[in-house]
Structures are given as C-alpha cells and as structure tokens.
Amino acid sequence: MSKKLIVLAVDDDMINLKLLKSMLMKNENVQEVLEAKNGADAIAQIKSRADINLILLDIIMPVMNGLEMLEIVRADDSMDQIPVIVLTTDETKKSQALELGANGFLMKPIRNSDLTQKIDSLMFQ
C-alpha cells in the first residue's frame, strides 16, 4: 500500500528547502512538496489546501517562527490533525516543540535516512 503524501516544507532558508525537497522527492510515498518561507506563509497554504498530510517545520524563521506556527496549527480544528515534524539546529527547543504538539523532531543537518524513517514511522504505522 503506497500512500501519496502532500508535504509542506516550512523553512526561510532556500538552500534548506531545496535540500529537503530533493530528499522528499526520493521518497516513494511523497507525491508533492509545497514550500513556505515562514509560519504565516505556511498557515495560509494549509488553509487553502485541505490535502496537506504532513508539515516539516523549521523553528528559526522571520515573521512567524516554527513554535508560534505550531501553536496556531494545534489550536485550529481544521489543522490540528496534521502531523508536524520539527527540524532545527537548536536541540534546546525539542521539549518545547513536543509540548506544543510536534509529532517528531529532527536535528539539522538532516540525513535522508532519518527523514524517511521518521516519515514512515509517523505516517504508515
């Protein structure tokens, strides 16, 4: 059974986004990768697309950071079921991210194997 995921990658760093996108597109379960530059941009995309299955979320971003966005997503009935994997260089944010409702946490730089394993464990168990 192959589930086709629509993944929203949220990161203000274009290089990180490109890297993330190329890793995700190698995953046979990923159908499409949407990109957002910050939390506000991401929220707008989620509201306009009901088919997003997974959010990969950077924490440190301008406008609205990842933790602020996570709080909004978890407080909104239309979005609160979407799994969120937080991606960051800041290990100290892990407990806060998980308390706010993140479903997973990966340290940057992200390895493809770790990302695939985390997505599979979240989405296909």
Side-chain angles (χ1 to χ4, degrees), residues 8 41 49 53 66 77 81 95 106:
L8 175 60
D41 184 18
R49 299 263 321 236
N53 309 101
D77 290 344
Q81 297 308 309
S95 62
L106 286 173

Side-chain angles (χ1 to χ4, degrees), residues 41-59:
D41 184 18
I43 298 273
Q45 286 200 47
I46 297 164
K47 287 187 184 294
S48 71
R49 299 263 321 236
D51 59 350
I52 293 171
N53 309 101
L54 175 65
I55 300 168
L56 299 179
L57 182 60
D58 180 34
I59 289 184

Side-chain angles (χ1 to χ4, degrees), residues 36-94:
K37 298 180 293 297
N38 58 59
D41 184 18
I43 298 273
Q45 286 200 47
I46 297 164
K47 287 187 184 294
S48 71
R49 299 263 321 236
D51 59 350
I52 293 171
N53 309 101
L54 175 65
I55 300 168
L56 299 179
L57 182 60
D58 180 34
I59 289 184
I60 302 157
M61 296 180 290
V63 186
M64 180 192 293
N65 73 37
L67 295 175
E68 292 167 329
M69 181 195 151
L70 187 55
E71 233 172 323
I72 291 168
V73 167
R74 287 298 175 245
D76 185 318
D77 290 344
S78 67
M79 302 185 271
D80 68 352
Q81 297 308 309
I82 306 171
V84 176
I85 300 173
V86 170
L87 316 172
T88 188
T89 50
D90 189 350
E91 178 77 55
T92 64
K93 298 287 188 214
K94 182 173 185 172

Side-chain angles (χ1 to χ4, degrees), residues 98-111:
L98 295 172
E99 276 167 33
L100 287 172
N103 301 84
F105 190 91
L106 286 173
M107 287 298 293
K108 290 179 176 178
I110 289 147
R111 295 208 313 273

